[in-house]
Amino acid sequence: MSTLYRVKPGGTVRGRLRVPGDKSISHRAIMLGSIAEGTTRITGFLEGEDALATMNIFRAMGVPIEGPVQGRVTVHGVGSRGLRAPTRELDCGNSGTSMRLLAGLLAGQPFTSVLTGDASLRRRPMRRVTEPLARMGARIETAPEGRPPLTVYGTTRLKGVEHTLRVASAQVKSALLLAGLYASGRTCVTEPAPTRDHTERMLRAFGYPVLSSGSTVCVEGGGRLAACEIEVPADISSAAFFLVAGSIAPGSDLTLTHVGINPSRIGVLEILKRMGADITLMNPRQVGGEPVADLRVRHAPLKGVEVPPELVPLAIDEFPVLFVAAACAEGETVVTGAEELRVKESDRIAVMAQGLRRLGVEAQPMPDGMRIRGGAYGGGVVDSHGDHRVAMAFAVAALRASGPIEILDCANVATSFPGFVLAARSVGLDIEEHAGEGQPRGET
Ligand code: S3P
């Protein structure tokens, strides 16, 4: 059975908080550490279910991995040719990143593997990776309509291609680059709009040459990765809940420490600033090839904005909580060009519109986004549909609701933000977690 949250209305958020490690970087650290030569030491690793799923998958392919212990993980890399055939299905749980990136990496192995996941992941589209990988010579079978599970018939005969992505997706770009490590010749990916570049940065940190020019990034197959040390910054996608909390709750003053501010991830800062948020970047520094800063947020009256579509891929995971910011802003916020939200852990346009309307917010879903008129709203019962970011977004919404909010099906918060309830309570949210109530997990 699942978990529900009960959040009392009102309150203020204050203090300092370090949210857990970046999910995208944690996945990649395990993947690249596993196929590197030597021992990779990771600190700040996200001990959430998604990153742990990736870790267990590499263990199942014979990679000795120690930890995590307080965010420390040691990966004894087996080299690019050292992975062993798994003897069981590889379970990605709720994690699209695990499945899509692994589809690319496994396409170039000399064995067959099966990638599966929970009910939410088994509904998500995979042709976006299997089709371009097929152009490289990969053979991957899907369930009907291109859904998981994926049976990856690995081959050592992949060939490099030049591929232009149809959707701006870092997962697809990364899948192709990881396959490209095993392909003959050069693999080049051109993206229609910039997306997160953690794969490119981390490949370079492992000493693997990556060529980039404009919107195209290329790798030559057959190179070697050398183990390194990776310090994972706090996840800006998890910090985003508190950036919105601090912005909407009167009297708030909160500092989020050691947050990754990679330029391909800071759409949320840009959008909140356009809405009038008071966010200051302090102590900017570089940590293992990734920029990091402390972010101080103080309450400020927000106003509605039209979100420029080019910012959408740079804030793609932050829309659930940005919709809550819009509900608290004066005037109308319009998001377009965000149809990708429909194929995330849930259909985030439909699910957020349903929940916001339940609270009395004027929210108009559109095929590719949402129109929200800000104003006062009430409490009520909302269903997260098993989507971690939807659950946390509605917890934040309670800060401005006139009544308590009860959020159903919250167990998946543990996929990206273990300890969310404690963290939220520590800065001032009046939130309680009730286990074993609501819908069965992952089956909504
Ligand atoms: C991710 C890329 C994004 C994002 C996901 C993590 C990654 O997905 O939504 O949470 O780590 O590459 P898309 O690339 O499919 O937009």
Side-chain angles (χ1 to χ4, degrees), residues 30 48 55 115 125 179 227 356 358 371 379 426 442:
I30 296 290
M55 178 185 274
L115 291 165
L356 287 170
R358 201 128 313 143
R371 194 179 279 281
S426 76

Side-chain angles (χ1 to χ4, degrees), residues 148-160:
L150 304 182
T151 305
V152 185
Y153 299 97
T155 169
T156 51
R157 300 234 286 268
L158 293 181
K159 52 185 192 311

Side-chain angles (χ1 to χ4, degrees), residues 23-24 27-28 97 100-101 124 128 168-172 174 196 198 316-317 340 344-345 389:
K23 181 154 74 74
S24 295
H27 282 298
R28 287 159 173 82
T97 308
R100 296 206 177 107
L101 270 59
R124 296 181 67 185
R128 55 182 58 201
S169 163
Q171 292 180 350
V172 181
S174 302
R196 65 191 69 192
H198 303 300
I316 192 67
D317 291 337
E340 273 297 295
K344 292 295 179 189
E345 286 83 330
R389 300 202 198 279

